[in-house]
Amino acid sequence: MNMPKSRSISFYILTFLIFFQAVSGLYGGGALVLDPTGDILKMPLSLLEGSPFNDYLIPGIILFAVLGVFPAIVFYGLLRGKERSWLGAVLVGVALIIWIGTEIVMVGYHTEPPLQLIYGIVGIVLLILAQLPAVRKILQSKPIHHENNN
């Protein structure tokens, strides 16, 4: 008999952080696509000095898709208890860490506002939460080897 899965606080924190990332990515990426000059977000083009970009259009598209749309899909999967959402949560964490790391390499580390620090921490926390046994138990319920109990 299958027991209903109870959801732990770590699962709810993971789900909230994925939602937070989805909203942030959709908002930030959308704003950069709508206005590649960065004016909507009060981001001067001078922040792009040293990067391969002349404006925020390409970073905005990547941000919107990879760190907005994708986390929104993962959030939906988490709410529905879909097994693949565990891998999705891990991938969001990895993508966020890669995004922040690449940004720091290209344009440097900025402390005001401390968004790089905040989102870097979110990425790390997502990876940690996804590895917790309580979260894995909820999202990885199928055993690797299926026994036939006939």
Side-chain angles (χ1 to χ4, degrees):
M1 182 170 140
N2 289 337
M3 300 297 285
K5 299 178 204 173
S6 63
R7 295 184 175 183
S8 66
I9 187 73
S10 54
F11 175 82
Y12 287 112
I13 294 169
L14 175 78
T15 303
F16 171 78
L17 288 176
I18 293 289
F19 175 77
F20 171 77
Q21 181 52 53
V23 170
S24 296
L26 292 170
Y27 175 76
L32 294 175
V33 169
L34 289 173
D35 179 14
T37 67
D39 286 345
I40 291 175
L41 297 178
K42 308 283 189 255
M43 292 173 52
L45 287 173
S46 62
L47 287 176
L48 292 175
E49 288 175 12
S51 82
F53 306 108
N54 296 324
D55 63 25
Y56 291 105
L57 180 62
I58 301 301
I61 292 169
I62 296 167
L63 180 60
F64 186 84
V66 176
L67 292 172
V69 174
F70 180 65
I73 293 167
V74 172
F75 175 71
Y76 177 77
L78 289 168
L79 292 180
R80 306 270 305 162
K82 300 291 183 184
E83 240 180 272
R84 291 183 184 158
S85 59
W86 175 82
L87 177 59
V90 169
L91 292 175
V92 170
V94 169
L96 188 52
I97 291 167
I98 290 171
W99 175 268
I100 295 300
T102 302
E103 182 179 307
I104 291 170
V105 167
M106 285 188 173
V107 300
Y109 180 72
H110 299 280
T111 57
E112 289 301 322
L115 295 177
Q116 293 168 324
L117 175 63
I118 291 167
Y119 285 101
I121 290 170
V122 168
I124 292 167
V125 170
L126 285 173
L127 292 178
I128 292 169
L129 289 171
Q131 300 309 313
L132 294 178
V135 172
R136 292 181 72 127
K137 182 179 176 185
I138 292 166
L139 297 174
Q140 294 183 321
S141 60
K142 291 184 182 176
I144 293 172
H145 179 266
H146 297 283
E147 293 183 22
N148 190 353
N149 294 331
N150 293 340

